[in-house]
Amino acid sequence: MGKNQHIVPGQNGGWNIKGEGNSKATAHTNTKAEAINKARDISKNQKSELFIHGKDGRIQSRDSHGNDPYPPKG
């Protein structure tokens, strides 16, 4: 399983995609939607979690693309 991916606000505007524990951004986009699309592809490829943060830095939502500890039944 790869590193979890986080979408966080950029310091000078826009949005950054950061791998968990990385000090530098993997990618920078102008819009949050672009960041989500790119990060979702990375997360699916690495079979990891995707955390989407708001402007305030709090996690707004998350997606699991790997070993989901609580998979849906059925």
Side-chain angles (χ1 to χ4, degrees):
M1 191 159 93
K3 289 185 176 185
N4 292 335
Q5 300 298 310
H6 293 260
I7 297 172
V8 296
Q11 290 180 341
N12 298 320
W15 293 86
N16 290 333
I17 302 167
K18 292 179 80 175
E20 192 163 303
N22 293 353
S23 58
K24 294 185 178 183
T26 303
H28 176 81
T29 63
N30 291 324
T31 68
K32 191 173 185 178
E34 286 178 290
I36 290 170
N37 288 335
K38 285 185 180 184
R40 186 164 281 132
D41 288 341
I42 294 168
S43 181
K44 284 180 182 177
N45 185 42
Q46 294 187 359
K47 296 181 172 62
S48 61
E49 298 279 325
L50 171 61
F51 294 88
I52 302 169
H53 297 256
K55 285 264 187 201
D56 61 1
R58 290 182 165 198
I59 295 172
Q60 291 181 326
S61 64
R62 64 188 280 180
D63 290 333
S64 176
H65 298 107
N67 282 337
D68 191 351
Y70 303 105
K73 294 182 181 182

Short mmCIF file of all heavy atoms in Angstrom, two decimals:
data_model
loop_
_atom_site.label_atom_id
_atom_site.label_comp_id
_atom_site.label_asym_id
_atom_site.label_seq_id
_atom_site.Cartn_x
_atom_site.Cartn_y
_atom_site.Cartn_z
N MET A 1 0.85 -1.19 0.00
CA MET A 1 0.00 0.00 0.00
C MET A 1 0.89 1.23 0.00
O MET A 1 1.88 1.31 0.72
CB MET A 1 -0.92 -0.03 1.22
CG MET A 1 -1.98 1.01 1.14
SD MET A 1 -3.41 0.65 2.19
CE MET A 1 -2.97 1.53 3.66
N GLY A 2 0.54 2.24 -0.81
CA GLY A 2 1.31 3.46 -0.93
C GLY A 2 0.95 4.47 0.14
O GLY A 2 0.19 4.19 1.07
N LYS A 3 1.52 5.65 0.00
CA LYS A 3 1.27 6.73 0.96
C LYS A 3 -0.13 7.30 0.78
O LYS A 3 -0.59 7.47 -0.34
CB LYS A 3 2.28 7.86 0.75
CG LYS A 3 3.67 7.52 1.18
CD LYS A 3 4.55 8.74 1.05
CE LYS A 3 5.94 8.41 1.56
NZ LYS A 3 6.78 9.61 1.56
N ASN A 4 -0.76 7.62 1.89
CA ASN A 4 -2.05 8.31 1.82
C ASN A 4 -1.83 9.68 1.19
O ASN A 4 -0.80 10.31 1.39
CB ASN A 4 -2.65 8.46 3.22
CG ASN A 4 -3.05 7.14 3.81
OD1 ASN A 4 -3.33 6.19 3.10
ND2 ASN A 4 -3.08 7.07 5.13
N GLN A 5 -2.82 10.13 0.42
CA GLN A 5 -2.73 11.41 -0.27
C GLN A 5 -3.64 12.43 0.40
O GLN A 5 -4.75 12.11 0.79
CB GLN A 5 -3.14 11.23 -1.74
CG GLN A 5 -2.28 10.26 -2.51
CD GLN A 5 -0.84 10.67 -2.59
OE1 GLN A 5 -0.52 11.81 -2.94
NE2 GLN A 5 0.06 9.75 -2.25
N HIS A 6 -3.12 13.66 0.54
CA HIS A 6 -3.87 14.74 1.17
C HIS A 6 -3.98 15.91 0.20
O HIS A 6 -2.99 16.29 -0.43
CB HIS A 6 -3.17 15.23 2.44
CG HIS A 6 -3.16 14.22 3.54
ND1 HIS A 6 -4.05 14.27 4.59
CD2 HIS A 6 -2.38 13.13 3.76
CE1 HIS A 6 -3.81 13.25 5.41
NE2 HIS A 6 -2.81 12.55 4.92
N ILE A 7 -5.18 16.46 0.08
CA ILE A 7 -5.40 17.68 -0.69
C ILE A 7 -5.50 18.81 0.33
O ILE A 7 -6.38 18.81 1.19
CB ILE A 7 -6.69 17.60 -1.52
CG1 ILE A 7 -6.56 16.47 -2.53
CG2 ILE A 7 -6.97 18.93 -2.21
CD1 ILE A 7 -7.83 16.16 -3.26
N VAL A 8 -4.55 19.74 0.24
CA VAL A 8 -4.47 20.83 1.22
C VAL A 8 -4.36 22.17 0.49
O VAL A 8 -3.87 22.23 -0.63
CB VAL A 8 -3.26 20.64 2.17
CG1 VAL A 8 -3.42 19.38 3.01
CG2 VAL A 8 -1.96 20.58 1.40
N PRO A 9 -4.82 23.26 1.14
CA PRO A 9 -4.69 24.57 0.50
C PRO A 9 -3.22 24.94 0.32
O PRO A 9 -2.40 24.67 1.20
CB PRO A 9 -5.37 25.53 1.48
CG PRO A 9 -5.93 24.71 2.58
CD PRO A 9 -5.46 23.32 2.43
N GLY A 10 -2.91 25.56 -0.82
CA GLY A 10 -1.55 26.03 -1.07
C GLY A 10 -1.27 27.31 -0.30
O GLY A 10 -2.19 28.09 -0.01
N GLN A 11 -0.01 27.55 0.02
CA GLN A 11 0.35 28.75 0.78
C GLN A 11 0.10 30.02 -0.01
O GLN A 11 -0.24 31.06 0.56
CB GLN A 11 1.82 28.68 1.19
CG GLN A 11 2.10 27.65 2.24
CD GLN A 11 3.57 27.61 2.62
OE1 GLN A 11 4.44 28.08 1.89
NE2 GLN A 11 3.85 27.04 3.78
N ASN A 12 0.27 29.96 -1.33
CA ASN A 12 0.07 31.14 -2.17
C ASN A 12 -1.15 30.99 -3.07
O ASN A 12 -1.16 31.48 -4.20
CB ASN A 12 1.32 31.39 -3.02
CG ASN A 12 2.53 31.67 -2.16
OD1 ASN A 12 2.43 32.36 -1.15
ND2 ASN A 12 3.67 31.13 -2.54
N GLY A 13 -2.17 30.30 -2.57
CA GLY A 13 -3.37 30.07 -3.35
C GLY A 13 -3.32 28.71 -4.03
O GLY A 13 -2.31 28.02 -4.01
N GLY A 14 -4.42 28.31 -4.60
CA GLY A 14 -4.50 27.01 -5.24
C GLY A 14 -4.52 25.88 -4.22
O GLY A 14 -4.74 26.11 -3.02
N TRP A 15 -4.29 24.67 -4.71
CA TRP A 15 -4.36 23.48 -3.87
C TRP A 15 -3.18 22.57 -4.14
O TRP A 15 -2.73 22.43 -5.27
CB TRP A 15 -5.67 22.73 -4.15
CG TRP A 15 -6.84 23.53 -3.70
CD1 TRP A 15 -7.50 24.49 -4.42
CD2 TRP A 15 -7.47 23.49 -2.43
NE1 TRP A 15 -8.50 25.04 -3.67
CE2 TRP A 15 -8.51 24.44 -2.44
CE3 TRP A 15 -7.26 22.74 -1.28
CZ2 TRP A 15 -9.33 24.66 -1.35
CZ3 TRP A 15 -8.07 22.94 -0.20
CH2 TRP A 15 -9.11 23.89 -0.23
N ASN A 16 -2.66 21.95 -3.06
CA ASN A 16 -1.53 21.04 -3.17
C ASN A 16 -1.99 19.61 -2.90
O ASN A 16 -2.87 19.36 -2.09
CB ASN A 16 -0.44 21.39 -2.16
CG ASN A 16 0.27 22.67 -2.50
OD1 ASN A 16 0.34 23.06 -3.66
ND2 ASN A 16 0.78 23.34 -1.50
N ILE A 17 -1.33 18.69 -3.59
CA ILE A 17 -1.50 17.26 -3.32
C ILE A 17 -0.21 16.82 -2.64
O ILE A 17 0.88 16.99 -3.21
CB ILE A 17 -1.72 16.46 -4.62
CG1 ILE A 17 -2.94 16.98 -5.37
CG2 ILE A 17 -1.84 14.98 -4.31
CD1 ILE A 17 -3.04 16.48 -6.79
N LYS A 18 -0.34 16.29 -1.43
CA LYS A 18 0.85 15.87 -0.68
C LYS A 18 0.70 14.42 -0.24
O LYS A 18 -0.33 14.04 0.29
CB LYS A 18 1.05 16.74 0.56
CG LYS A 18 1.43 18.18 0.23
CD LYS A 18 1.60 19.00 1.47
CE LYS A 18 2.95 18.74 2.08
NZ LYS A 18 3.22 19.62 3.23
N GLY A 19 1.75 13.66 -0.45
CA GLY A 19 1.81 12.31 0.09
C GLY A 19 2.05 12.41 1.59
O GLY A 19 2.78 13.32 2.05
N GLU A 20 1.44 11.54 2.37
CA GLU A 20 1.56 11.59 3.82
C GLU A 20 3.03 11.52 4.23
O GLU A 20 3.78 10.66 3.78
CB GLU A 20 0.80 10.42 4.44
CG GLU A 20 0.63 10.57 5.93
CD GLU A 20 -0.46 9.66 6.46
OE1 GLU A 20 -1.60 9.76 5.98
OE2 GLU A 20 -0.15 8.85 7.34
N GLY A 21 3.44 12.47 5.06
CA GLY A 21 4.81 12.52 5.55
C GLY A 21 5.76 13.30 4.66
O GLY A 21 6.90 13.57 5.05
N ASN A 22 5.34 13.67 3.45
CA ASN A 22 6.19 14.44 2.54
C ASN A 22 6.19 15.90 2.93
O ASN A 22 5.16 16.46 3.30
CB ASN A 22 5.71 14.31 1.10
CG ASN A 22 5.88 12.92 0.53
OD1 ASN A 22 6.46 12.05 1.17
ND2 ASN A 22 5.36 12.71 -0.66
N SER A 23 7.35 16.54 2.83
CA SER A 23 7.42 17.96 3.13
C SER A 23 7.06 18.81 1.90
O SER A 23 6.59 19.93 2.04
CB SER A 23 8.83 18.34 3.62
OG SER A 23 9.79 18.01 2.63
N LYS A 24 7.26 18.25 0.71
CA LYS A 24 6.94 18.97 -0.52
C LYS A 24 5.70 18.38 -1.18
O LYS A 24 5.41 17.19 -1.05
CB LYS A 24 8.11 18.90 -1.50
CG LYS A 24 9.33 19.63 -1.02
CD LYS A 24 10.38 19.62 -2.08
CE LYS A 24 11.60 20.42 -1.60
NZ LYS A 24 12.62 20.48 -2.63
N ALA A 25 5.00 19.22 -1.91
CA ALA A 25 3.80 18.79 -2.62
C ALA A 25 4.16 17.93 -3.82
O ALA A 25 5.16 18.18 -4.50
CB ALA A 25 2.99 20.00 -3.07
N THR A 26 3.35 16.92 -4.08
CA THR A 26 3.50 16.09 -5.27
C THR A 26 3.07 16.88 -6.49
O THR A 26 3.67 16.79 -7.55
CB THR A 26 2.63 14.81 -5.14
OG1 THR A 26 3.01 14.12 -3.96
CG2 THR A 26 2.77 13.92 -6.33
N ALA A 27 2.00 17.67 -6.34
CA ALA A 27 1.46 18.47 -7.44
C ALA A 27 0.75 19.69 -6.87
O ALA A 27 0.33 19.69 -5.71
CB ALA A 27 0.51 17.65 -8.29
N HIS A 28 0.63 20.74 -7.69
CA HIS A 28 -0.11 21.95 -7.32
C HIS A 28 -1.11 22.23 -8.43
O HIS A 28 -0.78 22.13 -9.61
CB HIS A 28 0.85 23.13 -7.16
CG HIS A 28 0.14 24.42 -6.87
ND1 HIS A 28 -0.28 24.75 -5.61
CD2 HIS A 28 -0.24 25.43 -7.68
CE1 HIS A 28 -0.88 25.92 -5.65
NE2 HIS A 28 -0.88 26.35 -6.91
N THR A 29 -2.34 22.58 -8.05
CA THR A 29 -3.37 22.91 -9.04
C THR A 29 -4.02 24.24 -8.66
O THR A 29 -3.92 24.68 -7.51
CB THR A 29 -4.46 21.83 -9.12
OG1 THR A 29 -5.14 21.76 -7.86
CG2 THR A 29 -3.87 20.46 -9.46
N ASN A 30 -4.69 24.84 -9.62
CA ASN A 30 -5.37 26.11 -9.35
C ASN A 30 -6.71 25.90 -8.67
O ASN A 30 -7.16 26.76 -7.92
CB ASN A 30 -5.57 26.88 -10.66
CG ASN A 30 -4.25 27.40 -11.21
OD1 ASN A 30 -3.37 27.78 -10.45
ND2 ASN A 30 -4.12 27.37 -12.52
N THR A 31 -7.36 24.76 -8.96
CA THR A 31 -8.68 24.52 -8.37
C THR A 31 -8.68 23.25 -7.52
O THR A 31 -7.88 22.34 -7.75
CB THR A 31 -9.77 24.39 -9.45
OG1 THR A 31 -9.54 23.19 -10.19
CG2 THR A 31 -9.79 25.60 -10.38
N LYS A 32 -9.60 23.21 -6.59
CA LYS A 32 -9.75 22.04 -5.73
C LYS A 32 -10.21 20.84 -6.54
O LYS A 32 -9.76 19.71 -6.31
CB LYS A 32 -10.74 22.35 -4.61
CG LYS A 32 -10.77 21.32 -3.51
CD LYS A 32 -11.64 21.81 -2.37
CE LYS A 32 -11.62 20.87 -1.20
NZ LYS A 32 -12.43 21.37 -0.09
N ALA A 33 -11.09 21.06 -7.53
CA ALA A 33 -11.60 19.96 -8.36
C ALA A 33 -10.46 19.28 -9.13
O ALA A 33 -10.42 18.05 -9.23
CB ALA A 33 -12.66 20.49 -9.33
N GLU A 34 -9.54 20.07 -9.67
CA GLU A 34 -8.38 19.50 -10.37
C GLU A 34 -7.54 18.66 -9.41
O GLU A 34 -7.09 17.57 -9.77
CB GLU A 34 -7.49 20.61 -10.93
CG GLU A 34 -8.01 21.33 -12.14
CD GLU A 34 -7.06 22.43 -12.55
OE1 GLU A 34 -6.95 23.44 -11.82
OE2 GLU A 34 -6.40 22.27 -13.60
N ALA A 35 -7.34 19.18 -8.21
CA ALA A 35 -6.54 18.48 -7.21
C ALA A 35 -7.20 17.15 -6.83
O ALA A 35 -6.52 16.13 -6.71
CB ALA A 35 -6.35 19.35 -5.97
N ILE A 36 -8.51 17.16 -6.67
CA ILE A 36 -9.23 15.94 -6.31
C ILE A 36 -9.08 14.90 -7.41
O ILE A 36 -8.81 13.72 -7.12
CB ILE A 36 -10.72 16.25 -6.02
CG1 ILE A 36 -10.85 17.04 -4.72
CG2 ILE A 36 -11.54 14.96 -5.95
CD1 ILE A 36 -12.23 17.60 -4.46
N ASN A 37 -9.24 15.30 -8.67
CA ASN A 37 -9.12 14.35 -9.77
C ASN A 37 -7.73 13.73 -9.85
O ASN A 37 -7.59 12.51 -10.00
CB ASN A 37 -9.47 15.02 -11.10
CG ASN A 37 -10.95 15.30 -11.24
OD1 ASN A 37 -11.78 14.63 -10.63
ND2 ASN A 37 -11.29 16.29 -12.04
N LYS A 38 -6.70 14.56 -9.74
CA LYS A 38 -5.32 14.05 -9.80
C LYS A 38 -5.02 13.17 -8.60
O LYS A 38 -4.41 12.10 -8.74
CB LYS A 38 -4.32 15.21 -9.85
CG LYS A 38 -4.24 15.89 -11.18
CD LYS A 38 -3.15 16.94 -11.18
CE LYS A 38 -3.08 17.61 -12.54
NZ LYS A 38 -1.97 18.57 -12.61
N ALA A 39 -5.39 13.62 -7.42
CA ALA A 39 -5.10 12.87 -6.20
C ALA A 39 -5.85 11.55 -6.18
O ALA A 39 -5.34 10.54 -5.68
CB ALA A 39 -5.43 13.70 -4.96
N ARG A 40 -7.06 11.52 -6.71
CA ARG A 40 -7.83 10.28 -6.75
C ARG A 40 -7.12 9.25 -7.63
O ARG A 40 -7.03 8.08 -7.29
CB ARG A 40 -9.25 10.56 -7.25
CG ARG A 40 -10.14 9.33 -7.19
CD ARG A 40 -11.61 9.66 -7.30
NE ARG A 40 -12.08 10.13 -6.00
CZ ARG A 40 -12.81 11.21 -5.80
NH1 ARG A 40 -13.18 11.95 -6.83
NH2 ARG A 40 -13.19 11.55 -4.60
N ASP A 41 -6.58 9.69 -8.77
CA ASP A 41 -5.82 8.79 -9.63
C ASP A 41 -4.59 8.23 -8.91
O ASP A 41 -4.30 7.05 -8.99
CB ASP A 41 -5.39 9.50 -10.92
CG ASP A 41 -6.54 9.76 -11.87
OD1 ASP A 41 -7.60 9.11 -11.74
OD2 ASP A 41 -6.37 10.62 -12.76
N ILE A 42 -3.86 9.11 -8.22
CA ILE A 42 -2.67 8.69 -7.47
C ILE A 42 -3.07 7.69 -6.39
O ILE A 42 -2.43 6.65 -6.22
CB ILE A 42 -1.95 9.90 -6.85
CG1 ILE A 42 -1.38 10.81 -7.94
CG2 ILE A 42 -0.85 9.45 -5.90
CD1 ILE A 42 -0.90 12.16 -7.45
N SER A 43 -4.11 8.01 -5.65
CA SER A 43 -4.57 7.17 -4.55
C SER A 43 -5.03 5.80 -5.05
O SER A 43 -4.72 4.77 -4.43
CB SER A 43 -5.71 7.88 -3.81
OG SER A 43 -6.16 7.12 -2.73
N LYS A 44 -5.74 5.76 -6.17
CA LYS A 44 -6.17 4.48 -6.74
C LYS A 44 -4.96 3.66 -7.17
O LYS A 44 -4.90 2.45 -6.94
CB LYS A 44 -7.10 4.71 -7.94
CG LYS A 44 -8.49 5.12 -7.56
CD LYS A 44 -9.35 5.34 -8.79
CE LYS A 44 -10.73 5.81 -8.42
NZ LYS A 44 -11.54 6.09 -9.63
N ASN A 45 -4.00 4.31 -7.80
CA ASN A 45 -2.80 3.63 -8.28
C ASN A 45 -2.00 3.04 -7.11
O ASN A 45 -1.46 1.95 -7.21
CB ASN A 45 -1.94 4.61 -9.08
CG ASN A 45 -0.74 3.94 -9.70
OD1 ASN A 45 -0.83 2.84 -10.22
ND2 ASN A 45 0.39 4.60 -9.64
N GLN A 46 -1.94 3.77 -6.01
CA GLN A 46 -1.16 3.32 -4.85
C GLN A 46 -1.99 2.52 -3.85
O GLN A 46 -1.47 2.09 -2.83
CB GLN A 46 -0.53 4.53 -4.15
CG GLN A 46 0.51 5.23 -4.99
CD GLN A 46 1.23 6.31 -4.22
OE1 GLN A 46 0.96 6.57 -3.05
NE2 GLN A 46 2.17 6.95 -4.89
N LYS A 47 -3.27 2.38 -4.12
CA LYS A 47 -4.18 1.66 -3.22
C LYS A 47 -4.10 2.23 -1.80
O LYS A 47 -3.83 1.54 -0.83
CB LYS A 47 -3.88 0.16 -3.22
CG LYS A 47 -4.14 -0.50 -4.56
CD LYS A 47 -3.86 -1.97 -4.50
CE LYS A 47 -4.27 -2.70 -5.74
NZ LYS A 47 -3.65 -2.35 -6.96
N SER A 48 -4.31 3.54 -1.72
CA SER A 48 -4.19 4.25 -0.44
C SER A 48 -5.45 5.06 -0.16
O SER A 48 -6.41 5.02 -0.91
CB SER A 48 -2.96 5.16 -0.47
OG SER A 48 -3.08 6.13 -1.49
N GLU A 49 -5.41 5.81 0.92
CA GLU A 49 -6.53 6.67 1.32
C GLU A 49 -6.34 8.06 0.72
O GLU A 49 -5.21 8.53 0.53
CB GLU A 49 -6.57 6.81 2.85
CG GLU A 49 -6.78 5.52 3.59
CD GLU A 49 -8.22 5.10 3.63
OE1 GLU A 49 -9.11 5.96 3.70
OE2 GLU A 49 -8.46 3.88 3.58
N LEU A 50 -7.45 8.74 0.46
CA LEU A 50 -7.44 10.12 -0.02
C LEU A 50 -8.17 10.98 1.00
O LEU A 50 -9.32 10.70 1.34
CB LEU A 50 -8.14 10.21 -1.38
CG LEU A 50 -8.40 11.60 -1.93
CD1 LEU A 50 -7.09 12.35 -2.15
CD2 LEU A 50 -9.18 11.53 -3.23
N PHE A 51 -7.47 12.00 1.52
CA PHE A 51 -8.05 12.92 2.49
C PHE A 51 -8.19 14.29 1.83
O PHE A 51 -7.23 14.84 1.31
CB PHE A 51 -7.14 13.06 3.72
CG PHE A 51 -7.02 11.79 4.51
CD1 PHE A 51 -6.05 10.85 4.21
CD2 PHE A 51 -7.88 11.54 5.56
CE1 PHE A 51 -5.94 9.68 4.94
CE2 PHE A 51 -7.79 10.37 6.30
CZ PHE A 51 -6.81 9.44 5.98
N ILE A 52 -9.40 14.83 1.85
CA ILE A 52 -9.68 16.13 1.25
C ILE A 52 -9.91 17.13 2.37
O ILE A 52 -10.83 17.00 3.16
CB ILE A 52 -10.91 16.05 0.32
CG1 ILE A 52 -10.67 14.99 -0.76
CG2 ILE A 52 -11.22 17.42 -0.28
CD1 ILE A 52 -11.89 14.63 -1.56
N HIS A 53 -9.03 18.13 2.44
CA HIS A 53 -9.08 19.14 3.49
C HIS A 53 -9.77 20.40 2.95
O HIS A 53 -9.72 20.68 1.76
CB HIS A 53 -7.66 19.52 3.94
CG HIS A 53 -6.91 18.38 4.56
ND1 HIS A 53 -6.72 18.29 5.91
CD2 HIS A 53 -6.30 17.30 4.02
CE1 HIS A 53 -6.02 17.20 6.18
NE2 HIS A 53 -5.76 16.57 5.04
N GLY A 54 -10.34 21.17 3.86
CA GLY A 54 -10.95 22.45 3.50
C GLY A 54 -9.93 23.57 3.64
O GLY A 54 -8.79 23.36 4.04
N LYS A 55 -10.34 24.79 3.34
CA LYS A 55 -9.47 25.96 3.46
C LYS A 55 -8.94 26.13 4.88
O LYS A 55 -7.86 26.66 5.09
CB LYS A 55 -10.21 27.24 3.04
CG LYS A 55 -10.39 27.37 1.57
CD LYS A 55 -9.30 28.22 1.00
CE LYS A 55 -9.59 28.50 -0.47
NZ LYS A 55 -8.40 28.88 -1.18
N ASP A 56 -9.73 25.68 5.87
CA ASP A 56 -9.31 25.81 7.27
C ASP A 56 -8.36 24.69 7.69
O ASP A 56 -7.90 24.67 8.83
CB ASP A 56 -10.54 25.83 8.19
CG ASP A 56 -11.37 24.56 8.11
OD1 ASP A 56 -11.02 23.64 7.35
OD2 ASP A 56 -12.40 24.51 8.81
N GLY A 57 -8.06 23.75 6.80
CA GLY A 57 -7.14 22.66 7.10
C GLY A 57 -7.80 21.42 7.67
O GLY A 57 -7.16 20.38 7.78
N ARG A 58 -9.07 21.51 8.02
CA ARG A 58 -9.78 20.35 8.57
C ARG A 58 -10.17 19.38 7.46
O ARG A 58 -10.47 19.79 6.34
CB ARG A 58 -11.04 20.78 9.30
CG ARG A 58 -10.76 21.52 10.57
CD ARG A 58 -12.06 21.86 11.23
NE ARG A 58 -11.80 22.26 12.62
CZ ARG A 58 -12.72 22.29 13.54
NH1 ARG A 58 -13.97 21.99 13.25
NH2 ARG A 58 -12.41 22.64 14.76
N ILE A 59 -10.20 18.10 7.79
CA ILE A 59 -10.59 17.09 6.82
C ILE A 59 -12.10 17.20 6.57
O ILE A 59 -12.89 17.16 7.50
CB ILE A 59 -10.24 15.67 7.32
CG1 ILE A 59 -8.73 15.52 7.44
CG2 ILE A 59 -10.82 14.61 6.38
CD1 ILE A 59 -8.28 14.23 8.09
N GLN A 60 -12.47 17.37 5.30
CA GLN A 60 -13.87 17.46 4.91
C GLN A 60 -14.43 16.10 4.52
O GLN A 60 -15.58 15.79 4.79
CB GLN A 60 -14.04 18.42 3.74
CG GLN A 60 -13.79 19.85 4.08
CD GLN A 60 -13.99 20.75 2.86
OE1 GLN A 60 -13.71 20.37 1.74
NE2 GLN A 60 -14.47 21.95 3.11
N SER A 61 -13.61 15.32 3.83
CA SER A 61 -14.05 13.99 3.41
C SER A 61 -12.84 13.12 3.12
O SER A 61 -11.71 13.62 3.06
CB SER A 61 -14.95 14.07 2.18
OG SER A 61 -14.25 14.58 1.07
N ARG A 62 -13.10 11.83 2.97
CA ARG A 62 -12.02 10.91 2.65
C ARG A 62 -12.57 9.77 1.82
O ARG A 62 -13.74 9.42 1.90
CB ARG A 62 -11.35 10.41 3.92
CG ARG A 62 -12.24 9.60 4.82
CD ARG A 62 -11.61 9.29 6.14
NE ARG A 62 -10.69 8.17 6.03
CZ ARG A 62 -9.99 7.68 7.03
NH1 ARG A 62 -10.09 8.20 8.22
NH2 ARG A 62 -9.19 6.67 6.86
N ASP A 63 -11.70 9.20 1.00
CA ASP A 63 -12.04 8.05 0.15
C ASP A 63 -11.00 6.98 0.37
O ASP A 63 -9.81 7.27 0.50
CB ASP A 63 -12.03 8.43 -1.33
CG ASP A 63 -13.17 9.34 -1.72
OD1 ASP A 63 -14.22 9.29 -1.05
OD2 ASP A 63 -13.02 10.09 -2.69
N SER A 64 -11.45 5.73 0.36
CA SER A 64 -10.55 4.61 0.50
C SER A 64 -10.38 3.92 -0.85
O SER A 64 -11.37 3.56 -1.48
CB SER A 64 -11.10 3.61 1.52
OG SER A 64 -10.27 2.48 1.60
N HIS A 65 -9.14 3.76 -1.28
CA HIS A 65 -8.86 3.07 -2.54
C HIS A 65 -7.94 1.88 -2.31
O HIS A 65 -7.30 1.40 -3.23
CB HIS A 65 -8.23 4.04 -3.54
CG HIS A 65 -9.12 5.17 -3.88
ND1 HIS A 65 -8.92 6.44 -3.43
CD2 HIS A 65 -10.26 5.21 -4.61
CE1 HIS A 65 -9.89 7.22 -3.88
NE2 HIS A 65 -10.71 6.50 -4.59
N GLY A 66 -7.88 1.41 -1.08
CA GLY A 66 -7.00 0.29 -0.78
C GLY A 66 -7.66 -0.69 0.15
O GLY A 66 -8.81 -1.07 -0.05
N ASN A 67 -6.96 -1.07 1.19
CA ASN A 67 -7.49 -2.00 2.17
C ASN A 67 -8.44 -1.25 3.09
O ASN A 67 -8.04 -0.70 4.10
CB ASN A 67 -6.35 -2.61 3.00
CG ASN A 67 -5.64 -3.69 2.25
OD1 ASN A 67 -6.19 -4.28 1.34
ND2 ASN A 67 -4.41 -3.96 2.64
N ASP A 68 -9.70 -1.25 2.73
CA ASP A 68 -10.71 -0.58 3.51
C ASP A 68 -11.02 -1.43 4.74
O ASP A 68 -11.46 -2.56 4.63
CB ASP A 68 -11.98 -0.38 2.68
CG ASP A 68 -12.98 0.54 3.32
OD1 ASP A 68 -12.78 0.91 4.51
OD2 ASP A 68 -13.96 0.89 2.66
N PRO A 69 -10.79 -0.88 5.96
CA PRO A 69 -11.03 -1.68 7.14
C PRO A 69 -12.51 -1.97 7.39
O PRO A 69 -12.85 -2.87 8.14
CB PRO A 69 -10.46 -0.82 8.27
CG PRO A 69 -10.45 0.55 7.75
CD PRO A 69 -10.30 0.44 6.25
N TYR A 70 -13.41 -1.21 6.75
CA TYR A 70 -14.84 -1.42 6.93
C TYR A 70 -15.54 -1.49 5.58
O TYR A 70 -16.33 -0.61 5.24
CB TYR A 70 -15.43 -0.28 7.77
CG TYR A 70 -14.76 -0.13 9.10
CD1 TYR A 70 -13.88 0.89 9.35
CD2 TYR A 70 -15.01 -1.05 10.12
CE1 TYR A 70 -13.24 1.01 10.57
CE2 TYR A 70 -14.37 -0.93 11.33
CZ TYR A 70 -13.51 0.10 11.56
OH TYR A 70 -12.88 0.21 12.77
N PRO A 71 -15.28 -2.52 4.80
CA PRO A 71 -15.93 -2.59 3.48
C PRO A 71 -17.44 -2.81 3.64
O PRO A 71 -17.87 -3.44 4.59
CB PRO A 71 -15.27 -3.79 2.82
CG PRO A 71 -14.75 -4.63 3.94
CD PRO A 71 -14.43 -3.66 5.07
N PRO A 72 -18.21 -2.28 2.70
CA PRO A 72 -19.66 -2.48 2.77
C PRO A 72 -20.02 -3.95 2.56
O PRO A 72 -19.32 -4.65 1.83
CB PRO A 72 -20.20 -1.62 1.64
CG PRO A 72 -19.06 -1.38 0.75
CD PRO A 72 -17.82 -1.49 1.58
N LYS A 73 -21.08 -4.37 3.19
CA LYS A 73 -21.52 -5.75 3.04
C LYS A 73 -22.35 -5.90 1.77
O LYS A 73 -23.12 -5.02 1.44
CB LYS A 73 -22.32 -6.19 4.26
CG LYS A 73 -21.49 -6.24 5.51
CD LYS A 73 -22.28 -6.71 6.70
CE LYS A 73 -21.35 -6.71 7.91
NZ LYS A 73 -22.00 -7.20 9.11
N GLY A 74 -22.22 -7.05 1.11
CA GLY A 74 -23.04 -7.33 -0.06
C GLY A 74 -22.32 -7.09 -1.27
O GLY A 74 -22.16 -6.73 -2.21
#
